[in-house]
Structures are given as C-alpha cells and as structure tokens.
Amino acid sequence: MKATIITIGDEILIGQIVDTNSGFIAKALDKIGIEVVEMRSISDNKQHILDTFREFQDRCDIVLITGGLGPTKDDITKKTLCEYFDDELVIDQEVLEHVTRLIHNFTGNTNPLLQTNIDQALVPSKATVLFNQYGTAPGIWIKKGSTVFVSMPGVPYEMKRLIENEIIPKIVMEYRRPYIIHKTIMTYGMGESMVADKIADWENNLPEFIKLAYLPSPGRVRLRLSARGTDKEMLETAIAQNVSSLTEIIGDIIVGFEEDETIEVMLGKLLTENKCTVSTAESCTGGKIAQMLASVPGASAYFRGSIVAYSEQVKIDVLSIEEHLISQFSVVSKEVAEQMALNVKRVMNTDYAIATTGNAGPTRDKTDKNLGVVYIAFALPDDTVVSYEFNFGQPREKVIDRAVNKSFELLQAAILGNAGR
C-alpha cells in the first residue's frame, strides 16, 4: 500500500511554523506496513488543493491531509473536498453536540454558539466522520475511485489522537498490508564513510528484501535495516541474523539497537548500573551536555548538576579557576579544562565530571586558538584528570554539536574503562 501526506497552510510555506505532522503520520503508517511515497506542503488555495487531489487520485491508496479545517474564512479544505467529490456540507448532530460541550466548558457559560462554531459541525454528506476528542474539527474519511482521502485538523495534538485512535485502527481493519520490519543500529565515534568502508562486504551480501540506510549526524551514525514482505517470521529472522553478523564487524562502536537508545540514554543506563554520578562544567557548549543528560527520564539518579561558566569571570569566581592559568594558557586550553572538570567534580561531589572550553566562533575572543578548537576534560573517580584537544572546524553549530557528542563518547569509554578495572 502507498500513501501520500499533504499539509495545507500558507504558514508552513512561509516558514512561520514547522511541519511536524508529516513525520508523525509517516511513522505511524510505516508501523502498519504502508509506504509513504511523497510528502507535500501546499497553499490555502482552492485550485492548488484541487489540482493536488487530482494528481494523487488513483496513484496512491491513501491521501492523508492536515490543515484547513478551522472556523475562519481561510480554512477551505471541507468546501474544497465537497467540490472535488461533488458533494455538499451537512450538519452532523453528534459533532455539533460535541462542539457545544467543548465551547461551553471552555467559556464557562451556556450562551448560544457563534455561527463559526456551528459550522465546525458541517461535514461532507458522503464522508465517514472521525471523532476528534480534543477539538471542534472532526476528521473526514471519504473515498473516490481506488483512493481514500483522509482530512484532519492541523493542530498537532488533535491530529495525533485522530491518527492513533481513529485512522490507524480503521486502516488496519479495512486493508491487508505487507509487513515492514525495521531495526536501527546506533553507532558512535566513527564517521559515515569509514563505517561504510568497514561494512562494505556485509552490505553487498544483504538479501534483496533488506535495505540499509545510513542516517548520520555529528559524532554518530544510525544504520537502519528495513525488511519488507508477507512472512513476518522470516523477515524478523533475517534481520536478526544480519544484525548479528554486523555486530561481529563493528561491535566496538555500537551503542544500541533501537531508535530511542541514544548515547545519552545509554550513558544513563551505564551510570545507573555502575552506581555512578556525573556533573558538568561547560563553557563553549553552553549547557547542552547538561540539557541532554537531564532529558532522560530518571536522570536525577546519576546527574547532579552543571555550572555553565561561559565568561572568564564566572570561571574564576564560581569554578575557582586560578587566574594565572588563564593568563598563561588562555581560557581555551587543556589546563583550564582540566581544572574546570576537577573543581566541578568536587563542588557537585560526583564520581565523574565533564568540562568543555573552546573557540566555537565566529570570533576568537580572548584567545589565539584557531576557530573550532575545543578542549574536553574528564575528572575520574580517583581524581585523575584526562583531557583531549579537537578541532571541529566551523560553523559554530557544528562545533557545539560535535563537542557534545564527543564528550558523551569519551565519557562512555571512561566509565567502561573504570568498570573493567
């Protein structure tokens, strides 16, 4: 089965909002074996909408549409659907009762509804109405030829509940679908081209029904295996066998096997298993390491806190960095990074501490170090300190992201090294 996702709204096309709906819908469809062949954002223009509907008519099994179902004049999706399906809008009594309850509960009074509120209960007469628990605009399911058109509100939390509670169950009930099995392998510390070179022979020997995708980001590469077919057990067995053989080749850089097993999640598990705690002292990374550590549920068990010492004076006053070190080596130096790590470890009373200081750019500030130079230091449980120098290049965003990712990679190695002692 094939699907197309259409988002309607000028606010998307001018960059006023970011389309997050399409990604959510695509993931939900993928889980039930439906292939998304195209995503498209179009304007609030009747002719543009009609042309898009005609383009995908009979080319896809399902066209999922978000946006344009609100109560204002620029929300034209329902009227355009009626024109496309040669239909008319009628009041759905159940939707009207639901709208009435929502409006009265929200306003706290029982005044008569505005006409714009009543109009939310208008639906094409040929459509199946999909109940929207959290909003006034119902979902619409309507078929023409071999294609089902499903229209949903653009409000993300309303759309998500419709997908989960109404649309996916209806698709599962009405359609026979192939199986799509995914397995994501999370690697860390090796670039995409190097990973590809190491696993080239393995990749060349994958069966035809398994596809490999490389999903790189700074410091990490996700390898996604996707198998498609009608025999679920055979697909799962083939995926498992190929993951096992892949692990024999690059097991030293694999940190997890699921999409949510990010390096910060893996670090959390590692710190918890070893009953260890960590703190951070950040300059050039501006608290991003701390933010990512704290984003993991249960992080309070191992993450004590952070000092974001962005300015030189804060390094001196709060982190007690010796002024002569800064004068002699500058704030961007291994000497300062090491003292930052050791001092925050003592202040926070943790087993490990991470410190970063660097020249993220675009200016050099009070240092002669090249743009992109970053020092990362670690204080270990026995109060020894190790540090590393990197040049992550430019632009600024890349320097910060790579510094954060490298910090996690090195912390993982430090914990594993100490745990094995």
Side-chain angles (χ1 to χ4, degrees):
M1 291 188 66
K2 299 186 186 299
T4 293
I5 300 170
I6 300 171
T7 54
I8 298 175
D10 293 338
E11 66 274 14
I12 297 172
L13 297 176
I14 65 173
Q16 189 174 16
I17 66 169
V18 176
D19 170 29
T20 59
N21 287 349
S22 294
F24 181 88
I25 296 169
K27 285 183 178 180
L29 294 175
D30 181 75
K31 288 178 181 177
I32 60 170
I34 295 179
E35 179 185 1
V36 176
V37 295
E38 188 164 347
M39 297 178 182
R40 185 177 295 185
S41 294
I42 62 176
S43 66
D44 294 300
N45 176 276
K46 184 181 75 170
Q47 193 58 50
H48 195 179
I49 296 171
L50 289 171
D51 290 344
T52 304
F53 287 174
R54 294 188 186 102
E55 179 181 352
F56 291 107
Q57 175 70 55
D58 298 324
R59 280 182 52 194
C60 293
D61 301 284
I62 303 176
V63 176
L64 295 109
I65 307 146
T66 67
L69 294 181
T72 55
K73 289 184 178 180
D74 63 331
D75 292 303
I76 61 172
T77 301
K78 285 192 295 189
K79 291 180 180 179
T80 307
L81 280 168
C82 282
E83 180 169 338
Y84 184 70
F85 285 91
D86 191 22
D87 201 357
E88 62 179 353
L89 291 173
V90 296
I91 287 286
D92 185 287
Q93 196 58 39
E94 289 187 19
V95 174
L96 182 58
E97 291 172 3
H98 171 65
V99 170
T100 302
R101 284 194 302 271
L102 280 181
I103 298 297
H104 287 167
N105 288 341
F106 180 75
T107 60
N109 61 53
T110 57
N111 292 336
L113 297 184
L114 299 174
Q115 187 60 46
T116 52
N117 300 138
I118 296 172
D119 288 347
Q120 288 293 77
L122 289 169
V123 297
S125 67
K126 299 175 183 178
T128 298
V129 177
L130 306 173
F131 178 61
N132 177 7
Q133 180 181 356
Y134 296 103
T136 59
I140 296 166
W141 176 293
I142 189 166
K143 187 172 183 178
K144 184 174 183 178
S146 62
T147 303
V148 168
F149 292 79
V150 182
S151 182
M152 298 166 282
V155 180
Y157 68 83
E158 294 183 29
M159 176 278 301
K160 289 177 181 179
R161 298 296 85 78
L162 276 169
I163 285 287
E164 293 169 343
N165 300 335
E166 300 285 337
I167 296 165
I168 293 300
K170 189 170 175 63
I171 292 172
V172 168
M173 182 175 65
E174 296 193 9
Y175 292 93
R176 292 185 62 187
R177 295 148 289 106
Y179 293 102
I180 302 176
I181 307 296
H182 295 296
K183 188 69 173 181
T184 300
I185 300 96
M186 310 289 292
T187 73
Y188 216 82
M190 185 178 290
E192 179 185 13
S193 58
M194 190 173 294
V195 172
D197 184 66
K198 287 195 72 171
I199 66 173
D201 292 338
W202 171 87
E203 183 178 356
N204 290 335
N205 287 298
L206 285 173
E208 288 186 2
F209 59 86
I210 296 181
K211 292 183 179 180
L212 173 67
Y214 292 83
L215 308 170
S217 56
R220 65 184 80 179
V221 179
R222 288 176 294 160
L223 303 172
R224 189 189 65 228
L225 289 172
S226 300
R228 185 188 303 269
T230 57
D231 188 333
K232 184 178 181 181
E233 185 175 344
M234 183 273 289
L235 296 177
E236 290 176 339
T237 298
I239 287 284
Q241 289 173 344
N242 281 280
V243 168
S244 178
S245 59
L246 177 65
T247 303
E248 294 178 7
I249 304 170
I250 58 169
D252 57 326
I253 61 169
I254 292 176
V255 297
F257 293 95
E258 297 298 337
E259 195 72 23
D260 61 349
E261 283 190 321
T262 59
I263 188 66
E264 53 268 28
V265 171
M266 296 297 297
L267 274 174
K269 292 178 180 178
L270 196 56
L271 287 161
T272 302
E273 289 167 3
N274 288 278
K275 297 181 172 61
C276 292
T277 54
V278 65
S279 57
T280 71
E282 301 184 57
S283 183
C284 62
T285 48
K288 192 168 184 177
I289 297 173
Q291 185 273 324
M292 292 180 70
L293 286 171
S295 70
V296 180
S300 58
Y302 52 84
F303 177 54
R304 289 277 175 83
S306 175
I307 296 175
V308 181
Y310 207 69
S311 74
E312 178 181 318
Q313 200 59 46
V314 172
K315 291 180 177 69
I316 296 168
D317 294 342
V318 179
L319 271 176
S320 302
I321 304 302
E322 298 170 40
E323 291 188 52
H324 75 87
L325 286 180
I326 295 175
S327 298
Q328 184 176 354
F329 301 106
S330 89
V331 290
V332 181
S333 63
K334 76 180 188 67
E335 290 80 8
V336 169
E338 289 175 358
Q339 195 168 81
M340 287 171 66
L342 194 58
N343 289 2
V344 78
K345 177 179 182 291
R346 290 171 179 165
V347 169
M348 301 285 181
N349 190 27
T350 54
D351 299 292
Y352 294 91
I354 310 170
T356 61
T357 182
N359 193 0
T363 60
R364 295 176 184 270
D365 297 325
K366 296 179 181 179
T367 174
D368 61 353
K369 298 296 192 299
N370 290 332
L371 294 179
V373 169
V374 174
Y375 291 91
I376 304 174
F378 298 88
L380 307 179
D382 61 0
D383 280 350
T384 58
V385 187
V386 293
S387 60
Y388 305 86
E389 178 184 342
F390 301 96
N391 191 326
F392 295 124
Q394 286 288 284
R396 179 184 180 82
E397 293 80 7
K398 182 174 81 170
V399 175
I400 294 170
D401 286 344
R402 289 195 170 184
V404 171
N405 288 324
K406 183 58 71 171
S407 296
F408 287 150
E409 176 194 340
L410 293 172
L411 178 61
Q412 182 187 42
I415 298 170
L416 290 171
N418 273 278
R421 290 181 182 176

